[in-house]
């Protein structure tokens, strides 16, 4: 589902009205009615509620007037407050304001702070506030009267439903530009907006409802400008197809995982389990020879190969012998996943860079595989016939781009997109709302996952998952999307069983199958057949 900025939203409205022929008044009517439907779905029976609708003088306020009329016609007690003067209301908003008047609804003008102080007690007595002050057009911090209104609403402790975006946020900025409404629910119109789906703005939006107000999907998809999308359950479900009865393990990809070192054998195991649970037909773990018995003992389902090790000494730790690159390339078939727990010994880093330089098959590079390129990220580049997927956490991304972790976190979307384009790689920037950036400037935002996943090993599981889906789908973008979505979904299921504090990466890996069943609705079919 595409995420739009304010200019794109205006263009979508213009095309819908001018080219498709749906009148703007109809769009406003649809918006208001969809907000009421969302309120009923989220907050149950409204007849027992007292609702205050706070309206601006623009189109967002017009949506609010429709909300007020619709609620009133359904017998709900509604009070309407206009932040400004009636004389300043124009266009479709004016039409809906006048309809309210003809229906006998009093609209209270709030022209200054004194008027707000006089009437705020009426607002405070309500059980729901509808925020219809500003929509997507705001591009400067609020001040004066509106700043006071926002502060008082936030302090009142009353349930707030915002229309389109919480008033005070800019649709073009992830970071709040100033004070804003802290909504419990935001009903966004036509398509989601950036501050609703990315931190820190999302913390002020509450639960998000995406309302269809009549803008055709083709119009939204054809808009020029940034191509940012939110992964959805329906979109991901399409990527998981049933297996044919006569299939065999060779049909589902052969993944080679190069991972592990002394003290970090668990990383290799978790990556292998992630690959197996995601459907790879054959998984082989290539790990230092001294680690092979440990890794092999952890899981009978995957194969293992021991790699030569350097002696170390003179202050240098032992590492993987760079001369084994040729043997690894001979083992590899469909996909190589490289990096989890490999360590940063100089010999290992030489091995990693040589393997990436020479490999012709798709690569998934994580952790120490990425750290080997901190001083020279250009060597990561994808090339004709070979896709490269990198899966950094913010610290690893910071080392690749020569910035601080805080700087990366402040501009995650831009940094991931720019790196993907410049180096012709797919970037999976992990963290809350993991981002997937592609070489053709598209960015996908993942909505699944929870803070319980902030524990060692979850990234190793994801590396194996991406490699497995890449081996099956033969499409790097699709593999990133489905793996990241299912990874977060498995984390959500694990959190439901174990809680955020207690869950481990092994818990997450153990719920990958459950996530796939939930996504495809297969579990419901099986349960019905067993009744």
């Amino acid at each position: 589902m595409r995420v739009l900025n304010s200019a794109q939203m205006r263009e979508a409205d213009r095309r819908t009205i001018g080219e498709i022929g749906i009148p703007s008044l109809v769009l406003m009517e649809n918006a208001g009615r969809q907000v009421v439907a969302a309120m009923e779905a989220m907050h149950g029976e409204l007849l027992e509620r007292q609702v205050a609708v706070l309206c601006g003088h623009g189109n967002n306020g017009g949506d609010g007037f429709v909300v007020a009329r619709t609620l009133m016609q359904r017998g709900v007690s509604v009070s309407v407050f206009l932040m400004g003067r009636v004389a300043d209301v124009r266009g479709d908003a004016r039409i809906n304001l006048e309809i309210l008047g003809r229906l006998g609804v009093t609209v209270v003008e709030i022209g200054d702070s004194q008027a707000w102080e006089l009437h705020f007690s009426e607002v405070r007595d309500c059980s729901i506030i509808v925020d219809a002050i500003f929509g997507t057009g705001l591009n400067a911090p609020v001040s004066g009267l509106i700043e006071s209104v926002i502060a008082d609403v936030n302090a009142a402790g009353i349930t707030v439903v915002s229309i389109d975006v919480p008033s005070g946020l800019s649709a073009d900025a992830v970071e709040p530009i100033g004070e804003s409404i802290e909504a419990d629910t935001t009903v966004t119109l036509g398509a989601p907006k950036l501050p609703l789906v990315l931190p820190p703005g999302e913390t002020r939006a509450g639960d998000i409802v995406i309302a269809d107000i009549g803008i055709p999907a083709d119009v939204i998809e054809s808009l020029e400008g940034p191509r940012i999308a939110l992964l959805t359950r329906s979109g991901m479900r399409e990527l998981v197809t049933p297996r044919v009865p006569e299939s065999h393990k060779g049909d589902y990809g052969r993944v080679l995982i190069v991972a592990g070192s002394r003290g970090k054998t668990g990383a290799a195991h978790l990556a292998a389990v992630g690959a197996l649970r995601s459907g790879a037909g054959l998984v082989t773990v290539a790990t230092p020879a001294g680690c092979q018995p440990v890794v092999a003992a952890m899981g009978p389902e995957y194969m293992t190969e021991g790699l030569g090790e350097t002696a170390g000494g003179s202050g240098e730790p032992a590492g993987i012998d760079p001369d084994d690159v040729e043997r690894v390339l001979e083992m590899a078939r469909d996909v190589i996943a490289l990096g989890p727990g490999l360590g940063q010994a100089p010999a290992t880093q030489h091995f990693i860079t040589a393997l990436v330089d020479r490999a012709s098959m798709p690569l998934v590079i994580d952790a120490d595989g990425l750290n080997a390129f901190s001083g020279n990220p250009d060597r990561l580049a994808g090339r004709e016939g070979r896709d490269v997927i990198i899966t950094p956490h913010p610290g690893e991304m910071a080392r690749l781009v020569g910035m601080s972790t805080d700087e990366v976190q402040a501009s995650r979307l831009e940094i991931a997109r720019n790196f993907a384009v410049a180096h012709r790689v797919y970037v999976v920037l992990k963290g809350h709302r993991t981002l997937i950036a592609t070489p053709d400037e598209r960015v996908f935002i993942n909505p699944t996952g929870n803070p319980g996943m902030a524990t060692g090993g979850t990234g190793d599981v994801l590396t194996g998952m991406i490699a497995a889906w890449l081996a099956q789908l033969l499409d790097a973008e699709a593999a990133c999307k489905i793996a990241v979505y299912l990874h977060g979904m498995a984390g959500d299921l694990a959190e439901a069983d174990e809680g955020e504090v207690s869950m481990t990466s092994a818990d997450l890996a153990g719920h990958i199958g459950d996530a796939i069943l939930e996504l495809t609705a297969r579990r419901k079919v099986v349960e019905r057949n067993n009744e």
Side-chain angles (χ1 to χ4, degrees), residues 514-530:
D514 294 323
I516 295 171
L517 289 173
E518 291 286 344
L519 178 65
T520 58
R522 177 73 181 277
R523 180 180 299 283
K524 296 176 182 177
V525 173
V526 172
E527 288 175 352
R528 275 202 301 273
N529 289 342
N530 288 338

Side-chain angles (χ1 to χ4, degrees), residues 371-382:
N371 290 329
F373 295 90
S374 294
N376 190 6
D378 290 341
R379 292 182 69 178
L380 282 169

Side-chain angles (χ1 to χ4, degrees), residues 222-502:
S222 66
L223 295 170
E224 295 183 0
R227 298 202 67 85
I228 302 168
L230 184 69
L231 300 183
T232 63
R233 178 183 287 263
S234 60
M236 296 305 97
R237 185 183 294 123
E238 294 173 358
L239 298 177
V240 185
T241 56
R243 294 188 169 189
V244 297
E246 64 271 19
S247 60
H248 58 84
K249 63 191 176 210
D251 294 331
Y252 301 109
R254 292 159 292 185
V255 174
L256 176 65
I257 296 173
V258 185
S261 60
R262 295 185 185 187
K264 299 178 180 177
T265 49
H269 170 72
L270 289 167
V273 171
L276 287 165
R277 290 290 186 186
S278 298
L282 287 166
V283 175
T284 302
V285 178
T287 192
C291 300
Q292 184 185 6
V294 179
V295 175
M298 288 180 175
E301 301 92 344
Y302 51 76
M303 298 171 285
T304 61
E305 289 283 347
L307 300 178
E309 298 179 84
T310 59
S314 300
E316 284 192 2
I320 299 175
D321 188 345
D323 290 341
D324 260 9
V325 167
E326 187 63 39
R327 191 159 72 88
V328 169
L329 291 174
E330 290 174 358
M331 294 180 212
R333 291 294 183 267
D334 298 322
V335 176
I336 298 177
L338 172 67
L342 278 177
Q344 299 185 47
T348 299
Q349 291 192 326
H350 292 154
F351 166 86
I352 291 168
T353 54
L355 179 58
V356 171
D357 283 345
R358 295 182 56 189
S360 59
M361 66 284 297
L363 297 171
V364 182
I365 309 175
D366 181 35
D368 290 325
L370 295 174
N371 290 329
F373 295 90
S374 294
N376 190 6
D378 290 341
R379 292 182 69 178
L380 282 169
R383 57 175 181 261
E384 187 69 29
R386 183 187 80 168
D387 290 321
V388 174
I389 300 170
I390 67 172
T391 61
H393 59 54
E396 291 158 352
M397 192 78 235
R399 288 189 284 275
L400 285 175
V401 297
M403 302 171 71
S404 70
T405 301
D406 287 344
E407 288 172 322
V408 169
Q409 289 291 72
S411 303
R412 296 173 73 241
L413 192 149
E414 294 79 9
I415 288 171
R417 179 169 54 198
N418 292 344
F419 193 94
V421 172
H423 299 281
R424 304 184 303 284
V425 299
Y426 294 83
V427 177
V428 176
L429 182 53
K430 295 179 290 194
H432 177 57
R433 298 289 182 260
T434 291
L435 300 177
I436 301 164
T438 73
D440 60 357
E441 297 189 76
R442 287 182 292 171
V443 178
F444 300 93
I445 302 167
N446 180 52
T448 61
N450 63 83
M453 296 167 66
T455 185
T458 54
D460 303 322
V461 176
L462 177 60
T463 298
M465 293 178 71
I466 294 173
W469 285 107
L470 181 56
Q472 293 169 82
L473 299 177
L474 305 178
D475 180 329
E477 180 185 301
C480 290
K481 292 192 294 187
I482 187 63
V484 167
Y485 189 89
L486 286 171
H487 182 255
M489 195 172 181
D492 290 337
L493 293 171
E495 185 273 335
D497 283 346
E498 305 294 340
E500 289 182 353
V501 175
S502 296

